[in-house]
Structure formats: structure tokens, C-alpha cells
Amino acid sequence: MTQEQIIEGNKAIAEFMGYIYHPHPDRFALPGWKVPNDKPFIEKLMRIGTIGKRPYLCRTSKEIQFHTSWDWLMPVVEKINKDGSFKVRILFNANGTNGIYGCYIDKVEWVNNYLQDERISGYSNIENPIESVYKAIIKFINWYNEQK
């Protein structure tokens, strides 16, 4: 992925998570990606060290780390799963030596008492496990935004 694709992907994830970029063109406030007004969410991010005491994810789009940090990416997985309409499946190597090798996101619904799922996105890269999850999430968010 190019640096531009990474920045655009990170911005898409940030917006999906509810972050808003505030440019603050005046000199009285600093620009940055501000977290939503969700006190429990802000407290959780502060506990794991993703954000400091100020309610900013980061100051510039280049500083967003969804593509490199599990601490940043896993809350996105939790949000997708929390809806109940989607299931994130992170696949592990059967012998456990290589860890994660793929990620798939499925739309899940009950039809006549049978669980049906439809593959929305998926990506596999055994050499770079976080990339598998990151790219599957980007593909899911693009699909999700098209459905609106």
C-alpha cells in the first residue's frame, strides 16, 4: 500500500469510529482528530494509552495508527461485532506457529430460523497479520458507506 492509501484508509476508519477532524484555523486551538463525546469510550482509550488526557486521537492524519497498532485496530473490530449484523472472523494458523493469516467480515442474519451469512470483505496475508485485518476492515467500511 502507498502512503496515500494508508492515510486515506486510516481517515476512513477514524470517521467510521466517529472521530471528527477539527482544522481549527484560528490560533487559539490546535487542529486534530477529536474523539466523539462518549465519556466511557474516551476513558477506555486513555486507559490503554491510545490518547492522552486531551480528547484527541492525534493531531494530523499522518499520525493515525490503525494500520500498525492492534490497540488502535481492535476497538474497530469490537464496534463492527457489537452491531450484531456483522461478524468479524480473524483466522489463525491451525498449528499456531504463524498466528493470524486472514480476516473476513460477514453480514449475518436469521432467515426462517436459519443463520445465513454473506461475505462482505476478506483479506489474507500470512506475512503481515495486522494488514489482513486492516485491509478487510477498509473493504468493509467502503461497502458499509455505499449502503447508506
Side-chain angles (χ1 to χ4, degrees):
M1 292 180 67
T2 68
Q3 187 65 25
E4 184 177 320
Q5 289 172 321
I6 290 169
I7 290 170
E8 290 305 311
N10 283 339
K11 286 167 54 176
I13 293 174
E15 290 167 357
F16 176 77
M17 294 298 289
Y19 300 118
I20 300 168
Y21 184 75
H22 295 277
H24 292 298
D26 58 34
R27 288 187 273 162
F28 299 107
L30 294 172
W33 284 90
K34 190 171 183 184
V35 297
N37 274 339
D38 180 348
K39 189 174 181 180
F41 183 67
I42 292 170
E43 289 172 351
K44 178 180 179 181
L45 292 177
M46 288 171 70
R47 270 195 314 276
I48 63 173
T50 303
I51 63 170
K53 294 185 179 189
R54 297 178 187 258
Y56 282 92
L57 177 66
C58 59
R59 295 292 176 194
T60 70
S61 297
K62 289 181 180 180
E63 296 173 358
I64 302 174
Q65 297 296 312
F66 291 114
H67 65 294
T68 60
S69 171
W70 289 110
D71 288 335
W72 285 55
L73 198 55
M74 291 314 289
V76 183
V77 171
E78 290 172 4
K79 178 178 179 172
I80 295 169
N81 278 335
K82 186 177 181 181
D83 176 85
S85 299
F86 306 100
K87 184 185 299 182
V88 179
R89 297 177 185 180
I90 299 174
L91 307 174
F92 293 85
N93 194 337
N95 64 14
T97 57
N98 292 330
I100 295 171
Y101 71 87
C103 178
Y104 300 93
I105 303 175
D106 300 331
K107 182 177 180 183
V108 179
E109 60 184 331
W110 289 93
V111 177
N112 298 327
N113 292 327
Y114 291 99
L115 184 64
Q116 294 184 346
D117 53 357
E118 171 189 350
R119 176 83 12 101
I120 301 300
S121 71
Y123 189 79
S124 180
N125 181 348
I126 198 165
E127 300 298 320
N128 189 347
I130 197 167
E131 182 179 279
S132 296
V133 178
Y134 177 78
K135 285 188 173 180
I137 287 173
I138 295 298
K139 188 174 179 184
F140 168 79
I141 290 171
N142 290 336
W143 172 87
Y144 183 84
N145 289 338
E146 288 174 4
Q147 306 308 304
K148 291 182 182 179

